[in-house]
Amino acid sequence: MKIGIVGAGNIGSALTHLFQAAGHEVTISNSRGPGSLAGLSAETGARAAAIEEAVRGQDVVVVAVPTIKIPSLPRELFASTPADVVVIDTTNYYPRQRDGHLDGIEDANTESEWVERHLGRPVVKAFNTIEATHLLPGAKPAGSADRIALAVAGDDARAKSKAMALIDGIGFDAVDAGTIAESWRQQPGSPGYLKDYDVKGVRSALAKANPERQPDWRATPNSPGTYDLPA
Ligand SMILES: NC(=O)c1ccc[n+]([C@@H]2O[C@H](COP(=O)([O-])OP(=O)(O)OC[C@H]3O[C@@H](n4cnc5c(N)ncnc54)[C@H](OP(=O)(O)O)[C@@H]3O)[C@@H](O)[C@H]2O)c1
């Protein structure tokens, strides 16, 4: 498949390695432009391009920028993206460390509903539940013991199953986590977040999740702080 990646930091670059290794044709982009991605391009064989190029003509587009940066993506970025292109949202809201108080996430809705409103199109939520550094070492062939499973939420069954097949093809089991409105089940602070559970563990964690945003995942008056010193 043709896969575009918007944001080639921790998560975007790890996915670039895995997608290229699985035979996909990957286009990577960031805010500084393709010249800054020469290293990742040389390592993986992915094509570095402007953000618009990473979105145009793809089968799948992965959005892997910090949540606070979502509103700074070019307006109309997805305006002419066909409805059958799968847009995967990897983002997590870190109000105390990085993002500050974001209206519309803090008190209502799921994080991905907020992302959908900003992008102006539906997303599939995936890859948000695993540490980026666990992606390369954690990938295993289908059927391996203790294969890590990733929760996948989305409203379009076809898009979700395409994302789940993509995940299986790069080394992880995929678990259907329901709709975007229910995707609080896999947000930061949920029982399965960053736990690297297998299918059974992810299903059990999703079932135990609580929609209430926990205090550690709420902004404070001093937000944002830093990862070392959360506000
Ligand atoms: N790190 C993890 O372990 C992990 C795991 C799961 C999910 N996530 C979530 O995934 C998202 C990305 O996290 P990350 O750790 O990969 O972040 P990161 O390492 O800081 O990388 C962010 C990337 O986004 C790009 N970017 C920022 N603003 C942009 C814009 N306006 N247009 C285009 N590109 C832009 C940056 O490009 P420049 O460097 O050129 O600015 C950089 O390539 C976050 O929401 C995070 O919470 C992270």
Side-chain angles (χ1 to χ4, degrees), residues 149 174-176 197-208:
V175 173
D176 187 336
Y197 289 143
D198 63 6
V199 169
K200 202 170 149 210
V202 169
R203 287 202 178 118
S204 157
L206 289 167
K208 286 184 200 142

PDB file of all heavy atoms in Angstrom, residues 149 174-176 197-208:
ATOM      1  N   ALA A 149      -0.720  -6.893  21.267  1.00  0.00           N
ATOM      2  CA  ALA A 149      -1.942  -6.520  20.553  1.00  0.00           C
ATOM      3  C   ALA A 149      -2.183  -5.023  20.702  1.00  0.00           C
ATOM      4  O   ALA A 149      -1.895  -4.434  21.749  1.00  0.00           O
ATOM      5  CB  ALA A 149      -3.124  -7.297  21.105  1.00  0.00           C
ATOM      6  N   ALA A 174      -4.297  -7.106  16.248  1.00  0.00           N
ATOM      7  CA  ALA A 174      -5.142  -5.921  16.351  1.00  0.00           C
ATOM      8  C   ALA A 174      -6.456  -6.318  17.002  1.00  0.00           C
ATOM      9  O   ALA A 174      -7.009  -7.373  16.696  1.00  0.00           O
ATOM     10  CB  ALA A 174      -5.392  -5.340  14.956  1.00  0.00           C
ATOM     11  N   VAL A 175      -6.923  -5.480  17.916  1.00  0.00           N
ATOM     12  CA  VAL A 175      -8.177  -5.748  18.628  1.00  0.00           C
ATOM     13  C   VAL A 175      -9.167  -4.634  18.310  1.00  0.00           C
ATOM     14  O   VAL A 175      -8.844  -3.453  18.477  1.00  0.00           O
ATOM     15  CB  VAL A 175      -7.940  -5.810  20.155  1.00  0.00           C
ATOM     16  CG1 VAL A 175      -9.261  -5.904  20.909  1.00  0.00           C
ATOM     17  CG2 VAL A 175      -7.048  -6.989  20.510  1.00  0.00           C
ATOM     18  N   ASP A 176     -10.351  -5.014  17.857  1.00  0.00           N
ATOM     19  CA  ASP A 176     -11.395  -4.023  17.573  1.00  0.00           C
ATOM     20  C   ASP A 176     -11.872  -3.432  18.900  1.00  0.00           C
ATOM     21  O   ASP A 176     -12.440  -4.130  19.742  1.00  0.00           O
ATOM     22  CB  ASP A 176     -12.557  -4.699  16.831  1.00  0.00           C
ATOM     23  CG  ASP A 176     -13.584  -3.688  16.352  1.00  0.00           C
ATOM     24  OD1 ASP A 176     -13.684  -2.591  16.937  1.00  0.00           O
ATOM     25  OD2 ASP A 176     -14.308  -4.017  15.398  1.00  0.00           O
ATOM     26  N   TYR A 197      -0.032  -5.594  26.309  1.00  0.00           N
ATOM     27  CA  TYR A 197      -0.792  -6.827  26.523  1.00  0.00           C
ATOM     28  C   TYR A 197      -1.002  -7.578  25.206  1.00  0.00           C
ATOM     29  O   TYR A 197      -0.960  -6.989  24.127  1.00  0.00           O
ATOM     30  CB  TYR A 197      -2.169  -6.499  27.088  1.00  0.00           C
ATOM     31  CG  TYR A 197      -2.189  -6.006  28.518  1.00  0.00           C
ATOM     32  CD1 TYR A 197      -3.091  -5.017  28.904  1.00  0.00           C
ATOM     33  CD2 TYR A 197      -1.339  -6.535  29.478  1.00  0.00           C
ATOM     34  CE1 TYR A 197      -3.141  -4.569  30.221  1.00  0.00           C
ATOM     35  CE2 TYR A 197      -1.383  -6.090  30.793  1.00  0.00           C
ATOM     36  CZ  TYR A 197      -2.285  -5.106  31.160  1.00  0.00           C
ATOM     37  OH  TYR A 197      -2.333  -4.671  32.448  1.00  0.00           O
ATOM     38  N   ASP A 198      -1.294  -8.867  25.334  1.00  0.00           N
ATOM     39  CA  ASP A 198      -1.699  -9.657  24.160  1.00  0.00           C
ATOM     40  C   ASP A 198      -3.203  -9.444  23.936  1.00  0.00           C
ATOM     41  O   ASP A 198      -3.842  -8.646  24.646  1.00  0.00           O
ATOM     42  CB  ASP A 198      -1.336 -11.135  24.344  1.00  0.00           C
ATOM     43  CG  ASP A 198      -2.075 -11.783  25.507  1.00  0.00           C
ATOM     44  OD1 ASP A 198      -2.960 -11.120  26.116  1.00  0.00           O
ATOM     45  OD2 ASP A 198      -1.789 -12.945  25.816  1.00  0.00           O
ATOM     46  N   VAL A 199      -3.771 -10.181  22.977  1.00  0.00           N
ATOM     47  CA  VAL A 199      -5.180  -9.958  22.624  1.00  0.00           C
ATOM     48  C   VAL A 199      -6.090 -10.079  23.845  1.00  0.00           C
ATOM     49  O   VAL A 199      -6.954  -9.224  24.086  1.00  0.00           O
ATOM     50  CB  VAL A 199      -5.625 -10.966  21.534  1.00  0.00           C
ATOM     51  CG1 VAL A 199      -7.134 -10.938  21.358  1.00  0.00           C
ATOM     52  CG2 VAL A 199      -4.934 -10.664  20.211  1.00  0.00           C
ATOM     53  N   LYS A 200      -5.882 -11.140  24.619  1.00  0.00           N
ATOM     54  CA  LYS A 200      -6.746 -11.366  25.781  1.00  0.00           C
ATOM     55  C   LYS A 200      -6.617 -10.197  26.773  1.00  0.00           C
ATOM     56  O   LYS A 200      -7.608  -9.687  27.301  1.00  0.00           O
ATOM     57  CB  LYS A 200      -6.314 -12.674  26.458  1.00  0.00           C
ATOM     58  CG  LYS A 200      -7.361 -13.295  27.294  1.00  0.00           C
ATOM     59  CD  LYS A 200      -6.927 -14.695  27.728  1.00  0.00           C
ATOM     60  CE  LYS A 200      -7.534 -14.987  29.080  1.00  0.00           C
ATOM     61  NZ  LYS A 200      -6.743 -15.873  29.891  1.00  0.00           N
ATOM     62  N   GLY A 201      -5.380  -9.767  26.996  1.00  0.00           N
ATOM     63  CA  GLY A 201      -5.133  -8.668  27.937  1.00  0.00           C
ATOM     64  C   GLY A 201      -5.738  -7.356  27.451  1.00  0.00           C
ATOM     65  O   GLY A 201      -6.306  -6.590  28.240  1.00  0.00           O
ATOM     66  N   VAL A 202      -5.616  -7.083  26.159  1.00  0.00           N
ATOM     67  CA  VAL A 202      -6.178  -5.832  25.624  1.00  0.00           C
ATOM     68  C   VAL A 202      -7.698  -5.858  25.745  1.00  0.00           C
ATOM     69  O   VAL A 202      -8.312  -4.879  26.172  1.00  0.00           O
ATOM     70  CB  VAL A 202      -5.739  -5.598  24.154  1.00  0.00           C
ATOM     71  CG1 VAL A 202      -6.525  -4.456  23.522  1.00  0.00           C
ATOM     72  CG2 VAL A 202      -4.242  -5.304  24.087  1.00  0.00           C
ATOM     73  N   ARG A 203      -8.308  -7.008  25.411  1.00  0.00           N
ATOM     74  CA  ARG A 203      -9.785  -7.083  25.506  1.00  0.00           C
ATOM     75  C   ARG A 203     -10.234  -6.851  26.944  1.00  0.00           C
ATOM     76  O   ARG A 203     -11.184  -6.115  27.194  1.00  0.00           O
ATOM     77  CB  ARG A 203     -10.274  -8.449  25.022  1.00  0.00           C
ATOM     78  CG  ARG A 203     -10.173  -8.575  23.526  1.00  0.00           C
ATOM     79  CD  ARG A 203     -11.124  -9.649  22.967  1.00  0.00           C
ATOM     80  NE  ARG A 203     -11.006  -9.681  21.524  1.00  0.00           N
ATOM     81  CZ  ARG A 203     -10.599 -10.724  20.811  1.00  0.00           C
ATOM     82  NH1 ARG A 203     -10.313 -11.867  21.412  1.00  0.00           N
ATOM     83  NH2 ARG A 203     -10.506 -10.641  19.497  1.00  0.00           N
ATOM     84  N   SER A 204      -9.534  -7.454  27.863  1.00  0.00           N
ATOM     85  CA  SER A 204      -9.911  -7.312  29.270  1.00  0.00           C
ATOM     86  C   SER A 204      -9.715  -5.863  29.726  1.00  0.00           C
ATOM     87  O   SER A 204     -10.560  -5.282  30.423  1.00  0.00           O
ATOM     88  CB  SER A 204      -9.078  -8.306  30.067  1.00  0.00           C
ATOM     89  OG  SER A 204      -8.970  -7.921  31.372  1.00  0.00           O
ATOM     90  N   ALA A 205      -8.612  -5.238  29.302  1.00  0.00           N
ATOM     91  CA  ALA A 205      -8.344  -3.844  29.692  1.00  0.00           C
ATOM     92  C   ALA A 205      -9.399  -2.904  29.099  1.00  0.00           C
ATOM     93  O   ALA A 205      -9.875  -1.990  29.782  1.00  0.00           O
ATOM     94  CB  ALA A 205      -6.946  -3.441  29.222  1.00  0.00           C
ATOM     95  N   LEU A 206      -9.773  -3.122  27.854  1.00  0.00           N
ATOM     96  CA  LEU A 206     -10.786  -2.269  27.225  1.00  0.00           C
ATOM     97  C   LEU A 206     -12.109  -2.370  27.991  1.00  0.00           C
ATOM     98  O   LEU A 206     -12.797  -1.372  28.219  1.00  0.00           O
ATOM     99  CB  LEU A 206     -11.009  -2.684  25.764  1.00  0.00           C
ATOM    100  CG  LEU A 206      -9.860  -2.368  24.790  1.00  0.00           C
ATOM    101  CD1 LEU A 206     -10.066  -3.110  23.470  1.00  0.00           C
ATOM    102  CD2 LEU A 206      -9.740  -0.867  24.533  1.00  0.00           C
ATOM    103  N   ALA A 207     -12.426  -3.595  28.421  1.00  0.00           N
ATOM    104  CA  ALA A 207     -13.695  -3.807  29.130  1.00  0.00           C
ATOM    105  C   ALA A 207     -13.698  -3.127  30.499  1.00  0.00           C
ATOM    106  O   ALA A 207     -14.742  -2.707  30.992  1.00  0.00           O
ATOM    107  CB  ALA A 207     -13.954  -5.306  29.284  1.00  0.00           C
ATOM    108  N   LYS A 208     -12.506  -3.002  31.121  1.00  0.00           N
ATOM    109  CA  LYS A 208     -12.429  -2.412  32.469  1.00  0.00           C
ATOM    110  C   LYS A 208     -12.309  -0.899  32.446  1.00  0.00           C
ATOM    111  O   LYS A 208     -12.303  -0.247  33.494  1.00  0.00           O
ATOM    112  CB  LYS A 208     -11.183  -2.957  33.189  1.00  0.00           C
ATOM    113  CG  LYS A 208     -11.319  -4.373  33.660  1.00  0.00           C
ATOM    114  CD  LYS A 208     -10.061  -4.757  34.433  1.00  0.00           C
ATOM    115  CE  LYS A 208      -9.919  -6.261  34.504  1.00  0.00           C
ATOM    116  NZ  LYS A 208      -8.541  -6.717  34.380  1.00  0.00           N
TER     117      LYS A 208
END
